[in-house]
Amino acid sequence: MTTPRSGVLERRPVARVPEPGTAFWGLKILTTGMGETTSDFLVKSFAPELVVPIALLVLVLVLAVQLRTRAYRPARYWTTALMVSVFGTMAADVLHVGLGVPYAVSTAAFALVLAAVLVVWWRVEGTLSVHAVTSLRREGFYWATVMTTFALGTAAGDLTATGLGLGYLASGFLFLVAFAVPGLVFLVTRSAAVATFWAAYVMTRPLGASFADWFAVPAVRGGLDLGAGPVSGCLLLVFVAVVSAMALRARPTRGSGSALLVAGREGAA
C-alpha cells in the first residue's frame, strides 16, 4: 500500500492461512475423507508400530515448513492439513483400538481439549478469527486447534457410525446437516462469524470421513466396498489437481512489484 504524502510502501500483515470460501470448504472436506481412508489403508497394510511414527514425523516436517512460511501458500498449507488429517485419524484410532478407550469417552475428551485450546488462544491473542492469523504465534494456536478438531471429528464420526449404529451413510448426512447449520446461521444473521466458522470446521471432519468410509468399507459394514486404497488414490488425484490449480492462481504475476513502486512514486508526486 502507498501513502499520497510519502509514496512509501506500507506493509500490511499478511494472512498465513486461507480465507474461508467455497474452495476452502470443499478441499477441507476432501482432505478429511482422504485422511480417513489413507490412515486405514496404511495401518492395515503395514505394521501400525511403523506407520504411526512415520506419519508423525512427516507431519512434524511439513508443519515446520508451513510455520516458516510467512504468507499463505496453497501447496504447503494443504499438504500440512492433509497430514494432520492422516495422523489425527491414527491418534483417535490408537485410543480406541490400541487402548480400548470408548468412542464416547474419546469424543468428550477431545472436546474438552479443543475448548481448552480455544480458551488459551483467546486469552493470549484476544481473537480466534482466521482472518487475524498473521503471526507465528497465532498460527501455532491455529494448528493446535486444527489438530484437535481432526481428532475430535474422527472420534465423533466413529461414535455415530459404529457406537450408535447409524452406519457411515446416515452419519454422513447427519454431519452434512450439522455442517450446514452454522453457515446458514451466519448467512441469515451476519453475526457470530468466528463461532460459526469453528463450529462448521469441526463438522467437516466427521462429514468427509463418514462418506469416505461409506465408499471404502465392505458391504457387511454398510459400505460400497471400493477399498481404502482405491478411494484414497482417487481423492489424491483430485487433491493434487485442485491444489495445483490454487497454487498457479496464487502465483504473483510479473511486474506486480514494480507496478506498486510506480504507484507509490505517482502518489508521492
Side-chain angles (χ1 to χ4, degrees):
M1 180 180 178
T2 60
T3 58
R5 295 182 179 178
S6 63
V8 177
L9 288 173
E10 294 181 354
R11 291 181 177 271
R12 285 183 175 179
V14 179
R16 301 167 70 101
V17 298
E19 295 286 328
T22 303
F24 171 85
W25 291 114
L27 196 51
K28 174 66 170 62
I29 294 171
L30 186 149
T31 58
T32 63
M34 184 177 167
E36 175 73 18
T37 54
T38 301
S39 172
D40 289 344
F41 172 75
L42 292 175
V43 170
K44 293 177 181 178
S45 300
F46 306 96
E49 299 82 0
L50 177 65
V51 296
V52 174
I54 290 177
L56 176 58
L57 177 60
V58 175
L59 170 59
V60 170
L61 291 176
V62 297
L63 182 58
V65 173
Q66 168 62 27
L67 291 174
R68 288 175 60 88
T69 307
R70 298 185 178 182
Y72 167 60
R73 297 289 183 270
R76 298 182 185 185
Y77 174 89
W78 287 108
T79 300
T80 304
L82 176 59
M83 285 311 304
V84 169
S85 179
V86 173
F87 182 74
T89 302
M90 292 180 176
D93 288 343
V94 164
L95 284 178
H96 178 72
V97 179
L99 302 180
V101 178
Y103 287 128
V105 175
S106 58
T107 300
F110 285 128
L112 291 175
V113 173
L114 175 61
V117 172
L118 291 174
V119 168
V120 174
W121 183 1
W122 171 261
R123 292 180 64 88
V124 173
E125 296 293 340
T127 178
L128 301 177
S129 173
V130 294
H131 305 291
V133 181
T134 55
S135 68
L136 177 59
R137 188 169 67 180
R138 288 183 179 181
E139 190 178 359
F141 281 118
Y142 175 89
W143 284 110
T145 304
V146 169
M147 291 181 195
T148 310
T149 63
F150 271 92
L152 169 61
T154 300
D158 288 335
L159 172 64
T160 60
T162 60
L164 300 181
L166 294 181
Y168 295 107
L169 182 59
S171 292
F173 283 112
L174 171 66
F175 288 114
L176 178 61
V177 173
F179 165 74
V181 168
L184 292 175
V185 170
F186 175 72
L187 289 176
V188 171
T189 65
R190 290 296 175 180
S191 62
V194 173
T196 54
F197 170 83
W198 286 113
Y201 196 96
V202 171
M203 290 302 109
T204 58
R205 172 56 187 165
L207 168 59
S210 295
F211 281 115
D213 274 333
W214 178 64
F215 280 108
V217 301
V220 294
R221 297 175 57 191
L224 297 182
D225 198 20
L226 299 180
V231 172
S232 298
C234 291
L235 293 177
L236 177 61
L237 292 176
V238 177
F239 174 84
V240 172
V242 174
V243 173
S244 298
M246 285 182 169
L248 290 174
R249 184 177 301 177
R251 182 178 297 176
T253 57
R254 286 187 176 182
S256 59
S258 59
L260 284 173
L261 289 174
V262 169
R265 289 169 183 170
E266 291 177 350

